[in-house]
Amino acid sequence: MKHNCCWKMLLVLCLCMAAFGACAEEEKIDVDLSHKSGFYMNSFDLEITCNAPDVTIYYTTNGSAPDASDRLYTGPISLGFTTNMPDPLTRINNTNTEEDLFTPWTEFPNAHVIRAAAVDADGNVVDTAAGTFFVGYNRSTLYGDLPVISLMVE
């Protein structure tokens, strides 16, 4: 009899919680970029949005994972032609041993690598989004039908 009473109290408690929304799932926080990763012939403004009004968006332009110490997003980010960007990574001469030394003989397509993070009031990153944008390049001229992959790791 005592156990039957406990089950009834538990059922009433769950029904009350459900009625007041305590058992409802919280909406997932999503950070979104206005454009998909890829090749674009013309410059454009990239917008970052989040479905949660109580977060702050920070972003990086170098591929590193953003947090509250990075750039505060206040409006669209202008992504211009990457054909004129400096190319420091493929021109590093001291990354290999002397016998393996290889410096590319040609220019490689550069890209904007944007990573964004929604940060809550406690400083926690609650969601992220990332994209790689080649601006001013014709993909089919450069690579034909070959897939192009951009990797980001932490």
Side-chain angles (χ1 to χ4, degrees):
M1 189 77 150
K2 184 177 183 182
H3 295 292
N4 193 21
C5 179
C6 290
W7 283 109
K8 287 180 183 176
M9 286 178 26
L10 183 60
L11 178 62
V12 169
L13 178 62
C14 281
L15 289 173
C16 287
M17 290 173 66
F20 290 104
C23 292
E25 284 188 36
E26 290 185 28
E27 183 178 355
K28 182 180 178 322
I29 296 174
D30 284 316
V31 176
D32 292 305
L33 304 179
S34 62
H35 292 69
K36 292 182 179 182
S37 291
F39 287 79
Y40 293 87
M41 288 305 298
N42 297 309
S43 59
F44 62 92
D45 289 339
L46 180 73
E47 295 184 29
I48 305 170
T49 57
C50 184
N51 64 343
D54 55 344
V55 298
T56 305
I57 298 174
Y58 296 92
Y59 71 98
T60 60
T61 58
N62 63 3
S64 64
D67 60 27
S69 67
D70 288 302
R71 294 180 188 176
L72 173 66
Y73 178 76
T74 58
I77 304 165
S78 180
L79 298 184
F81 290 102
T82 54
T83 53
N84 300 329
M85 288 174 56
D87 188 12
L89 297 180
T90 58
R91 299 282 176 222
I92 298 174
N93 289 325
N94 61 353
T95 57
N96 300 318
T97 63
E98 281 296 319
E99 57 272 1
D100 293 334
L101 185 61
F102 174 74
T103 302
W105 55 270
T106 186
E107 295 294 321
F108 283 87
N110 293 310
H112 295 284
V113 180
I114 308 294
R115 292 180 78 173
V119 177
D120 67 14
D122 296 325
N124 301 311
V125 173
V126 293
D127 193 41
T128 61
T132 303
F133 307 95
F134 295 89
V135 183
Y137 294 103
N138 183 318
R139 182 194 182 288
S140 61
T141 300
L142 288 172
Y143 302 109
D145 292 334
L146 292 173
V148 176
I149 299 170
S150 174
L151 299 175
M152 288 181 230
V153 296
E154 294 187 33

